[in-house]
Amino acid sequence: MAIGENIRRLRKEKGYTQKQLAEKCDMYESQIRKYELSNANPKLDTIRKISAALGVYISDLVDDWSKISKDEISEDLENDSAENMSHNTAIELSGYPLADSEKPLLETYRQLNPAGQDKAIEQVKLLTKIPEYRKEE
């Protein structure tokens, strides 16, 4: 699926109009329309804004990374130097927004040593097998 098709599908799933999504991304409605119709290809920074506004991963929008130039990816990485950035901020800027409910889990997980982290993952996986703790689909 093309980026534009993914934007449209996810926007509709979230119940946003093109205008609402544009406002959340601080851009014009016509830009969203162009992207959805595949009349224009969004830059990586724009994809990041759209993914954050929709609360999805960048990979939910981009199926074919060959459409993003290597120069743009390199430039993007240089502009977002991670030296003075928290891990949460880096994740959110990369289009991986964290829900407020996820932040304490991540903070607690980082306090564990590697063996503890492995055990935590194991325990969370076990919880997903118990029907009363699973999300309804």
Side-chain angles (χ1 to χ4, degrees):
M1 218 181 262
I3 292 173
E5 293 170 358
N6 289 331
I7 293 171
R8 171 174 272 160
R9 178 181 51 79
L10 291 165
R11 174 183 59 78
K12 287 184 174 186
E13 282 178 15
K14 301 290 181 173
Y16 296 142
T17 64
Q18 288 178 337
K19 182 178 182 179
Q20 289 170 323
L21 179 57
E23 288 171 354
K24 289 176 86 57
C25 297
D26 194 29
M27 59 180 67
Y28 296 108
E29 180 180 355
S30 61
Q31 288 174 285
I32 298 295
R33 189 175 307 108
K34 285 179 185 177
Y35 299 144
E36 287 187 0
L37 294 172
S38 297
N39 292 339
N41 288 321
K43 298 248 182 225
L44 186 55
D45 187 54
T46 301
I47 295 169
R48 179 182 288 129
K49 287 178 185 177
I50 293 171
S51 70
L54 292 171
V56 298
Y57 299 111
I58 290 176
S59 60
D60 292 331
L61 297 176
V62 180
D63 292 331
D64 183 2
W65 283 93
S66 68
K67 296 188 188 260
I68 310 292
S69 76
K70 291 178 184 172
D71 291 338
E72 190 177 349
I73 293 171
S74 295
E75 181 181 308
D76 189 68
L77 292 173
E78 287 173 14
N79 290 339
D80 286 331
S81 172
E83 287 180 26
N84 299 315
M85 190 182 301
S86 73
H87 188 69
N88 287 354
T89 302
I91 289 172
E92 290 175 2
L93 286 174
S94 299
Y96 297 93
L98 293 175
D100 287 340
S101 61
E102 294 172 318
K103 291 177 183 178
L105 179 64
L106 189 56
E107 290 167 4
T108 303
Y109 175 83
R110 285 202 197 105
Q111 293 174 17
L112 300 171
N113 65 27
Q117 290 176 347
D118 289 343
K119 197 66 167 173
I121 291 168
E122 186 180 305
Q123 294 299 313
V124 171
K125 284 181 180 178
L126 287 173
L127 283 172
T128 65
K129 295 180 183 196
I130 302 172
E132 72 180 274
Y133 296 124
R134 293 183 65 106
K135 284 184 180 178
E136 292 186 24
E137 308 218 8

